[in-house]
Amino acid sequence: MRRLGGLFLAGVCVMGLLAACGGKTDETARAAGMVPANAIGFLSVNLEPSIEQKRNMLGIAKAFPGAKAKDEFEESRDDLFDQILEDSGLDYKTDVKPWLGKEIAVTALPSPTADGEPLVLVMIAAEDEDKARVALDKARKADGADFTYEFVDGYAIVSEGSKPGAAAPIVKQAKAKADGLADSARFSQIVDELHGDRLILGWFDPSAITKELQGAGGLPTEFSKQFKTAGPMAFDVHAASKAIVAEGVSIASADARRGQPKITEGLPATTMGALTLFNVGGSAVNGLEGFLGTGGSDTSEFEAEFRENTGLDLKTEILSWVQGEAVVMAMPSAQQFPDVALILEPSDMAKAQAAVPKMAAALTERADVPLRDVAVDGGRAFEVTEPINDGVQPAFGLVHGRFIIASSLAQLRTVSKDSEQPLAKTASYARVVAEGSSSQTQLQLVLLLDPIREMFEKIFGLEDDADYARDTKPNLVPLDSFGTRVFRDGRFDRFESKLTFD
């Protein structure tokens, strides 16, 4: 079963790259309608994308010379499955394709016993049961294969081990014809928020999964507490024009600090990467309490040691004012390595102003790092007196209402205020973020892939490498940008990732 299940799961994951976009999927008429409502996890892939989706994916594939995409989507899909089944003893075109239906799904159900592991079932749509039996029996004879299968309403239900009856929950639900997972509110209320045509769909219940794993002795109690109150989550993968998109949604959980990524949007257009967070100070405090004990002696000892080494109170003098937008960014440099900076929006300017000179004193007096006090546009900064490397001479300070730690004083000046040619106005940023930019952003990551590629070419001396230029570079050039956002939307927390292509 591990062998066959792994192959089909690999197919599920890879077919995510072939996901489609079209009309809304009715999950009650598919595998989810046969799954009991008490399921703790579900994953489904539709193997017949829409015409629009086939066109989108072939258009993306043809941008890569090394992909060798064919004109017909089905031919490309067949070749893919041939590779997936290569070690299974099965030939996709002769053993599987003649009976394989439109969906492969995997579901996890609660263990039949209090201390057992969750029951995992693979559900394979079969259009010809007799041919499917022949193929599954052939796979079962392969070395190491140990699984049982049963046919239910046009699906082969495959389970690990040789004990019959594992598919009983699916059989019972299929006979009921209603009130399955697809009909349950815990499934539909979030799945219905996803992209309309979900050619790859995932749904899981973190609290139920951790309860099952804890009961089976596979999860520490302290770890499971983090997910005890988490509600069900769902995600999908689909293709847009020149982009692959993944979306996720869950019922809004505990309130977290959010905001508009204004600093990020004002970064120079040449920025090649920016990670944006909000309330880093609050998250750090929660992390300290979570890892070192909630208000216990361990936390106090850590804080006392920090105070002794720096002369600063970690919580009151530093973390207390680091609650606005925080950005870690990088941009190309004339030197080998990029210019980088950490930019923080102080939530309490008075505390920030008091903390900066104390940080400088801690570095010079306690760490023996010589610093130069520099006035920058009416603000105050401190620069390391000697370069560490070419183009790297760290500086930090409070300028234009921003606390900045940068790889050089020049870089600190560059990011101390919004650029006249900002990142938000670039086409690449717009494709992955701008249309969805929100004042409810919790986390955001943007990577512009062309300058990142060029940076690595410079670092590893690939610019004059003929083999790289011929075999590898043509398959990297089409990659344009990657973006991830986590944000609040009404009663939902949402996640979105995009990989775009030129």
Side-chain angles (χ1 to χ4, degrees):
M1 172 60 190
R2 286 190 178 93
R3 188 174 184 182
L4 182 67
L7 289 167
F8 277 112
L9 285 173
V12 167
C13 296
V14 178
M15 282 303 295
L17 299 177
L18 307 176
C21 147
K24 186 174 182 180
T25 302
D26 180 8
E27 297 298 338
T28 62
R30 293 160 54 81
M34 299 167 57
V35 173
N38 68 339
I40 61 177
F42 179 77
L43 180 68
S44 168
V45 170
N46 187 326
L47 301 181
E48 290 196 6
S50 67
I51 294 175
E52 178 185 1
Q53 184 66 11
K54 293 176 183 179
R55 182 171 58 247
N56 286 344
M57 292 308 302
L58 281 174
I60 291 172
K62 287 180 178 179
F64 297 87
K68 299 179 181 178
K70 297 183 179 179
D71 291 335
E72 294 297 329
F73 179 86
E74 288 188 7
E75 290 184 27
S76 298
R77 184 188 65 180
D78 291 355
D79 287 347
L80 172 66
F81 273 106
D82 271 335
Q83 295 175 31
I84 293 171
L85 297 173
E86 190 173 22
D87 297 325
S88 70
L90 297 177
D91 178 86
Y92 174 72
K93 292 178 183 177
T94 59
D95 295 330
V96 178
K97 185 176 181 180
W99 60 266
L100 184 63
K102 299 179 180 180
E103 181 183 17
I104 295 177
V106 181
T107 187
L109 303 175
S111 170
T113 60
D115 57 352
E117 296 181 355
L119 174 63
V120 178
L121 300 172
V122 179
M123 307 173 69
I124 310 169
E127 295 183 350
D128 188 316
E129 186 175 318
D130 291 336
K131 292 180 179 179
R133 287 182 185 277
V134 172
L136 291 170
D137 286 342
K138 182 178 180 180
R140 193 158 53 177
K141 293 177 182 179
D143 291 340
D146 182 19
F147 64 90
T148 303
Y149 67 86
E150 182 175 346
F151 285 90
V152 181
D153 282 5
Y155 282 80
I157 313 301
V158 184
S159 58
E160 184 176 8
S162 56
K163 184 178 180 180
I170 302 293
V171 174
K172 181 178 179 181
Q173 181 55 51
K175 290 180 179 179
K177 303 293 184 184
D179 299 326
L181 179 64
D183 295 311
S184 67
R186 61 199 282 262
F187 180 89
S188 62
Q189 68 178 335
I190 57 172
V191 167
D192 288 351
E193 292 293 319
L194 294 172
H195 193 266
D197 187 12
R198 302 174 292 270
L199 266 290
I200 181 169
L201 167 69
W203 174 92
F204 58 99
D205 187 335
S207 61
I209 291 173
T210 53
K211 181 180 179 181
E212 284 291 313
L213 294 178
Q214 187 177 352
L219 197 68
T221 302
E222 291 301 319
F223 182 82
S224 65
K225 287 180 180 179
Q226 304 296 321
F227 301 96
K228 188 175 182 179
T229 60
M233 304 176 182
F235 68 90
D236 78 86
V237 178
H238 62 273
S241 177
K242 295 186 177 182
I244 294 175
V245 184
E247 296 180 349
V249 64
S250 65
I251 300 296
S253 56
D255 202 25
R257 184 70 62 89
R258 299 176 298 277
Q260 183 78 26
K262 294 181 179 179
I263 294 177
T264 304
E265 292 170 351
L267 292 173
T270 53
T271 297
M272 60 184 182
L275 171 65
T276 307
L277 299 166
F278 288 86
N279 192 22
V280 172
S283 298
V285 170
N286 292 336
L288 284 173
E289 294 178 347
F291 285 105
L292 299 179
T294 306
S297 59
D298 287 343
T299 302
S300 299
E301 289 175 7
F302 178 83
E303 292 178 39
E305 185 176 349
F306 183 88
R307 188 182 302 109
E308 181 179 350
N309 291 331
T310 66
L312 292 161
D313 185 284
L314 179 61
K315 287 184 178 179
T316 62
E317 293 187 284
I318 297 180
L319 299 181
S320 64
W321 54 267
V322 188
Q323 297 178 5
E325 182 181 358
V327 184
V328 179
M329 62 84 65
M331 55 192 293
S333 165
Q335 308 300 323
Q336 186 178 43
F337 294 98
D339 292 323
V340 299
L342 166 65
I343 312 163
L344 301 173
E345 175 190 24
S347 52
D348 188 319
M349 188 59 67
K351 287 186 177 181
Q353 290 172 335
V356 170
K358 288 187 177 182
M359 293 178 183
L363 285 170
T364 55
E365 298 170 9
R366 298 170 185 264
D368 197 26
V369 177
L371 297 174
R372 181 186 299 115
D373 195 333
V374 185
V376 181
D377 295 344
R380 188 180 185 186
F382 296 88
E383 178 189 32
V384 175
T385 56
E386 297 294 333
I388 296 175
N389 204 336
D390 289 342
V392 180
Q393 190 171 352
F396 68 94
L398 197 60
V399 184
H400 295 303
R402 299 176 178 182
F403 174 75
I404 305 165
I405 303 174
S407 55
S408 68
L409 189 61
Q411 178 66 1
L412 184 149
R413 287 193 174 98
T414 297
V415 300
S416 65
K417 55 185 177 181
D418 290 347
S419 173
E420 294 181 358
Q421 295 181 318
L423 178 64
K425 295 294 181 68
T426 63
S428 295
Y429 185 89
R431 293 181 68 188
V432 294
V433 173
E435 292 182 0
S437 183
S438 169
S439 62
Q440 297 297 303
T441 298
Q442 184 174 339
L443 177 149
Q444 179 176 290
L445 172 66
V446 177
L447 300 175
L448 305 189
L449 303 178
D450 261 350
I452 292 176
R453 171 183 54 78
E454 292 169 357
M455 177 190 70
F456 279 103
E457 288 173 350
K458 181 190 297 185
I459 291 174
F460 294 105
L462 299 173
E463 297 154 305
D464 300 320
D465 187 321
D467 291 338
Y468 168 80
R470 182 187 65 249
D471 301 328
T472 305
K473 185 174 181 177
N475 292 310
L476 297 178
V477 170
L479 299 173
D480 176 52
S481 55
F482 174 79
T484 292
R485 300 188 301 130
V486 178
F487 59 100
R488 178 69 55 86
D489 179 19
R491 57 190 288 259
F492 298 102
D493 284 329
R494 294 185 181 271
F495 162 89
E496 179 185 74
S497 281
K498 289 184 182 179
L499 177 63
T500 67
F501 307 86
D502 282 330

